[in-house]
Amino acid sequence: MNRTILHIDMDAFFAAVEQRDHEEYRGKPVIVGGLGTRGVVSTASYEARKFGVHSAMAMEIARRRCPDGIFLPVDHARYRAVSRHIFSILARFSPTIEPLSIDEGFLDLTGMERLMESPRAYGETLKRTIYEETGLRASVGIAPNKFLAKLASDLEKPDGLVVIRPENAEKILAPLPVSRIFGVGKKTEARLAAMGFRTIGQLAAADRRKLSAALGERMAAQLIALAHGRDDRPVEPVRAAQSIGREETFEKDLRAREEAERALLSLSEEVGWRLRREGLSARTITLKLRLASFDTFTRSKTFPDPLSYDEDIFAAAQTLFREFPLTPGQGVRLLGVSASNLATDAEVSLFDDHEKKDRLYSAIDSLKGRFGETILTRAALVEQKPKI
Ligand code: TTP
Ligand code: MG
């Protein structure tokens, strides 16, 4: 299948928005994230990355590595608005867009090749349009499939533009570490290294039977295909790629169930409010739980009728929490509630007492306008399998 796929990912997205909006932050190390003692870095500007600061790092470590950095809280509402603007621009460049996260997505350009001077020129125009309209830089990769397009957008970050042609794919892949293949996490990387496979080129030349014996037939076949630059997944323009969620790392581990359930209620309220504000409801509610030991679990519940009211979301989160086998005294470090499998209001039937509740909630929501910091998490994080 010959496709032309473009992957775009904004550079240092949250930090770049802050630098755009505050001239005095430009050219400086900017770190955005949770600023409490147990906060986590969401992202860092490229100036801050030189100090070894990166996403998902404990904020304490970031402060130590970059004491003169500019530390800012996460302003999701603003980043969402910018994201919406970016996706509206993308929509002018392809009718088939698959959003992957707040700042990243695939565009299917298959069949449009004759409308463009060249894929590279098309990518340049896209980057320029985004910069002119939003003041933000993006990195773009264009390739015959999703795997290569995503890889390409990362090769010359920031402000990158890389086109991979089918005939060059294997040559570009060969020297890269196997960890560049999506789905190859630390564990698989270590197993592959133990078998002598460190680069994608080594994997491409692997003996299939040997690899199957170690990793299973399916995984081996997938890895070998990807190592050769083959990937048949289509661009799927679904909103289900996203979910609305909110999580909190507590200043002190929670030790009492009631305390945890109170936290779940306030998280559920924020998720509900955000859902209703976006005109959405959700069929799946996911609870995320990180214990003092750092072990992290997710548990989900799916309902036939979509939910958007706080009490329903809370009831689901509470049930999932109560079903989770916590040993007494086991502290809870983080709780998260997220809603996925989203439906728009238009898709939801308006039976029974919805109308009354809708009136009640619209009154509550109008009072709530100033609260609610809600995270649009990646579906991949929400769907992450429990570690045990
Ligand atoms: P990324 O695209 O992964 O990172 P980035 O845009 O900041 O930097 P770059 O793409 O140039 O490497 O994520 C997009 C945004 O998502 C990021 O700006 C902040 C947020 N985010 C988190 O909140 N936590 C995380 O762990 C990651 C990776 C991202
Ligand atoms: Mg990015």
Side-chain angles (χ1 to χ4, degrees), residues 70-82:
I70 297 163
F71 291 84
L72 303 170
V74 179
D75 184 351
H76 274 286
R78 204 147 46 93
Y79 312 144
R80 270 302 321 145
V82 179

Side-chain angles (χ1 to χ4, degrees), residues 230-251:
R230 292 193 297 263
D231 173 20
D232 272 339
R233 294 168 305 151
V235 174
E236 291 179 295
V238 283
R239 110 178 296 144
Q242 291 181 327
S243 66
I244 286 178
R246 173 82 172 87
E247 61 182 46
E248 189 176 351
T249 303
F250 304 108
E251 290 289 325

